[in-house]
Amino acid sequence: MKRRIRLIVSYDGTEYVGWQVQPNGVSIQSLLEKALLEITREQIRVEGSGRTDSGVHAKAQVAHFDTEAKMAADKFAIAMNMHLPADIRVLYSEECDPSFHARFSAKRKTYRYTVQLGQHSNVFLRNTSLHLHYMPDIEAMETAASYVIGTHDFSAFKCASSAMENTIRTVTVSEWKRDGNLLIYTVEGNGFLYNMVRILVGTMLEIGSGKLQPSDLQKAIESGKRSDAGATAPAHGLCLCRVVYPDFDTEEVLRRE
């Protein structure tokens, strides 16, 4: 009889083509499935809460899979890590209800985008933050971020090639905060379109540089035109930090561990 196992996975996405299996490179999903094949001798499909892009990181990606293996659920994390590279770690594993789905059961997700300020970049943050040589207008960026909160049609903030038809999302947190020479954007919502967070960040960075005004972000939301939004920010500054379900919150689980 098959059981459903839920995972929390952390990874540095620098060397990968993203979460989803791709023909043009190595993905996080493919390596997790390869590790499970080694452990269970089963061809297992691992489903994630979302498909992070090439170069995007995750502090707490949620995934699930079904297996007939008798191994104790909490041992899967240890066993899988023995077969994974050092930049991918399974932080937690447990058996869950068969009705749970990592993607479709999710209620909220939190992403953070990190910007590094200063004349010289910190080499130790080069893979996880975008370096800016100039000081942006943070107040203008904060104003723009406030326009993102609420339920909107975010058509202007999706990749032009995306075929997603339902573009309405609800955002509950959208804010910039400075921590020393780091500028961090936190956004939480019930879901995000392909490239949505990166386009939001890219638009706000153009606002911070004076190329656009805060009202231009609001205009882009209202028009739904991709041409009214700014550029797509580079992937390496983005991290999936939290996923919340009705009975499961990655932040709470990892705090206990």
Side-chain angles (χ1 to χ4, degrees), residues 115-118 132 134-147 174-186 201 203-210 212-214:
V115 177
Q116 189 186 155
L117 305 172
L132 292 186
Y134 62 90
M135 178 60 69
D137 184 341
I138 299 173
E139 184 175 345
M141 292 167 66
E142 290 172 340
T143 299
S146 70
Y147 297 141
S174 173
E175 61 184 13
W176 286 94
K177 288 190 175 179
R178 187 172 179 183
D179 181 9
N181 71 331
L182 296 181
L183 188 58
I184 301 169
Y185 177 61
T186 301
V201 171
T203 303
M204 286 185 274
L205 289 176
E206 291 190 20
I207 290 168
S209 71
L212 296 175
Q213 298 301 311

Side-chain angles (χ1 to χ4, degrees), residues 38-62:
E38 293 286 339
I39 296 164
T40 67
R41 299 303 172 188
E42 298 174 278
Q43 292 285 349
I44 290 174
R45 178 73 171 183
V46 178
E47 298 284 351
S49 71
R51 301 171 180 176
T52 53
D53 299 341
S54 176
V56 174
H57 317 291
K59 176 184 176 184
Q61 169 73 283
V62 176

Side-chain angles (χ1 to χ4, degrees), residues 12-119:
D12 179 334
T14 304
E15 301 298 325
Y16 304 104
V17 294
W19 166 267
Q20 189 178 18
V21 173
Q22 303 281 347
N24 61 325
V26 181
S27 69
I28 309 297
Q29 183 184 38
S30 66
L31 291 178
L32 293 174
E33 291 174 356
K34 182 179 178 182
L36 286 169
L37 178 62
E38 293 286 339
I39 296 164
T40 67
R41 299 303 172 188
E42 298 174 278
Q43 292 285 349
I44 290 174
R45 178 73 171 183
V46 178
E47 298 284 351
S49 71
R51 301 171 180 176
T52 53
D53 299 341
S54 176
V56 174
H57 317 291
K59 176 184 176 184
Q61 169 73 283
V62 176
H64 79 264
F65 64 89
D66 296 329
T67 180
E68 294 181 354
K70 305 301 182 185
M71 178 183 292
D74 63 338
K75 301 300 182 186
F76 274 100
I78 298 170
M80 292 177 72
N81 286 336
M82 293 176 66
H83 297 279
L84 289 168
D87 52 5
I88 305 174
R89 292 292 91 177
V90 179
L91 303 179
Y92 180 83
S93 59
E94 68 171 6
E95 188 165 350
C96 63
D97 191 276
S99 64
F100 172 83
H101 194 286
R103 180 182 175 192
F104 299 123
S105 300
K107 296 300 180 185
R108 301 196 314 274
K109 295 179 184 178
T110 303
Y111 282 90
R112 289 194 179 94
Y113 196 98
T114 303
V115 177
Q116 189 186 155
L117 305 172
Q119 183 177 1

